[in-house]
């Protein structure tokens, strides 16, 4: 695997401090060491990642098979040797939900926000949503195994689009989103579906345990999945076009959940 982008490389190195045994399989290649590159090289040395100075031709060769949006290496590239492995932030949903399931007699165990992505196939959108999840304290992103940007081959794009946040935000890839939503409800989560015809978010007080479902910009939330929603919510807008980009809408909703809960805690 090949990683480009200052943010993505920096966050990958930061994540290696938790697992220095993995460092030998990572290597940096750089050309002219500007201030940002020097900072990355210093962090890499502390994390046990080796680095080699090469010319730009070598860097261009390393990135030639990447998506065109990732080929702008800006003078530094990280490679991961050996067999491809799932990203470090991938978690098993059944194990995660088991830890978060409480009986009806138990009190809330603190703020939890989950976001479910239904048929979001553009990895750039997924990356941008993960970045918002990091900024607004979401606990988990759930992505379906099929009809989504869950393929491991898109991880580089997701990582760069998330500005490195994908190294930290837990992601669960599941076979059935309807089942996942049902499990969340059993664990005490209130399910919110995002749709233009829903209740205005400014009139809502979000639950301590909130799960937000974002559907595709074309077809919206799947009908069976929507039946599991406790509330359908919408973002008030004043523009001329139909709707917000899904990643922008997700960011707005995540902020509103964060803001609502922070107000409740004061």
């Amino acid at each position: 695997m090949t990683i480009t982008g200052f943010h993505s490389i920096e966050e990958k190195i930061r994540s290696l401090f938790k697992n220095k045994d993995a460092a030998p399989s990572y290597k940096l290649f750089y050309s002219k060491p500007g201030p940002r590159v020097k900072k990355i090289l210093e962090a890499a040395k502390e994390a046990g990642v080796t680095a080699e100075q090469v010319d730009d031709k070598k860097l261009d060769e390393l990135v030639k098979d990447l998506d065109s949006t990732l080929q702008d290496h800006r003078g530094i590239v990280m490679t991961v040797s050996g067999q491809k492995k799932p990203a470090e932030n991938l978690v098993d949903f059944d194990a995660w939900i088991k830890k978060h399931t409480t009986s009806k007699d138990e009190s809330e165990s603190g703020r939890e926000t989950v976001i479910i992505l239904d048929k979001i196939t553009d990895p750039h959108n997924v990356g941008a949503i993960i970045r918002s999840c990091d900024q607004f304290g979401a606990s988990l992103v759930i992505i379906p195994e099929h009809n989504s940007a869950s393929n491991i081959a898109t991880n580089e794009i997701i990582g760069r689009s998330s500005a490195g946040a994908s190294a930290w935000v837990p992601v669960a890839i599941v076979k059935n989103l309807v089942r996942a939503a049902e499990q969340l409800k059993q664990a005490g989560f209130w399910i919110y579906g995002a749709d233009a015809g829903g209740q205005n978010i400014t009139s809502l007080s979000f639950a301590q345990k909130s799960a937000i479902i974002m559907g595709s910009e074309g077809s919206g939330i799947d009908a069976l999945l929507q039946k599991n929603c406790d509330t359908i919510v919408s973002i008030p807008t004043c523009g001329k076009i139909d709707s917000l980009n899904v990643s922008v809408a997700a960011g707005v909703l995540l902020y509103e959940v964060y803001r609502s809960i922070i107000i409740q805690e004061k």
Side-chain angles (χ1 to χ4, degrees):
M1 185 170 71
T2 303
I3 303 169
T4 61
F6 290 150
H7 284 296
S8 295
I9 293 174
E10 285 173 334
E11 293 305 324
K12 183 62 67 175
I13 290 172
R14 285 182 61 196
S15 70
L16 286 174
F17 279 99
K18 300 184 297 182
N19 182 21
K20 288 195 176 183
D21 290 340
S25 65
Y26 291 79
K27 186 172 181 178
L28 285 173
F29 296 88
Y30 67 97
S31 54
K32 297 177 182 179
R36 191 71 178 273
V37 172
K38 286 181 179 178
K39 181 181 176 182
I40 292 172
L41 293 174
E42 289 173 3
K45 185 177 180 180
E46 291 183 31
V49 177
T50 58
E52 178 182 345
Q53 187 169 15
V54 297
D55 57 24
D56 284 326
K57 185 178 180 180
K58 171 66 174 180
L59 297 181
D60 292 341
E61 179 70 19
L62 288 170
V63 302
K64 69 177 184 179
D65 294 326
L66 297 181
D67 183 272
S68 59
T69 60
L70 302 175
Q71 291 181 9
D72 180 16
H73 52 69
R74 301 178 69 184
I76 189 165
V77 173
M78 174 177 272
T79 62
V80 184
S81 62
Q83 187 176 1
K84 287 186 176 180
K85 300 181 293 183
E88 289 88 342
N89 62 318
L90 288 179
V91 300
D92 179 79
F93 178 70
D94 288 333
W96 188 93
I97 200 68
K98 186 176 181 180
K99 292 180 180 178
H100 292 77
T101 300
T102 59
S103 69
K104 293 181 179 180
D105 297 328
E106 289 180 305
S107 60
E108 296 287 351
S109 58
R111 177 169 66 90
E112 295 278 1
T113 304
V114 171
I115 191 159
I116 301 171
L117 306 183
D118 181 24
K119 301 186 294 293
I120 310 299
T121 57
D122 185 343
H124 298 90
N125 279 332
V126 174
I129 291 170
I130 291 175
R131 184 174 185 174
S132 292
C133 287
D134 173 67
Q135 290 298 294
F136 300 122
S139 304
L140 182 70
V141 178
I142 300 176
I143 303 175
E145 189 174 65
H146 303 290
N147 298 319
S148 73
S150 63
N151 192 298
I152 201 70
T154 67
N155 274 358
E156 295 94 335
I157 300 175
I158 292 173
R160 186 153 182 177
S161 299
S162 71
S166 62
W168 302 103
V169 178
V171 174
I173 298 173
V174 302
K175 292 184 178 181
N176 191 316
L177 286 184
V178 173
R179 178 175 177 270
E182 291 171 348
Q183 289 175 278
L184 285 166
K185 291 183 80 167
Q186 292 170 4
F189 283 81
W190 192 266
I191 312 294
Y192 301 91
D195 186 86
Q199 184 178 347
N200 190 317
I201 57 171
T202 61
S203 64
L204 288 173
S205 179
F206 286 92
Q208 280 283 316
K209 289 187 174 182
S210 297
I212 303 170
I213 303 175
M214 304 300 302
S216 72
E217 293 179 39
S219 58
I221 301 171
D222 181 81
L224 287 176
L225 189 56
Q226 188 163 320
K227 288 182 178 179
N228 278 278
C229 293
D230 298 298
T231 305
I232 302 297
V233 299
S234 66
I235 300 168
T237 58
C238 60
K240 301 290 190 297
I241 60 175
D242 290 340
S243 62
L244 294 168
N245 168 274
V246 66
S247 65
V248 174
V252 172
L253 289 170
L254 285 164
Y255 169 74
E256 281 297 319
V257 173
Y258 176 76
R259 186 181 68 85
S260 173
I261 294 172
I262 291 299
I263 290 172
Q264 293 173 34
E265 290 175 349
K266 288 184 176 179

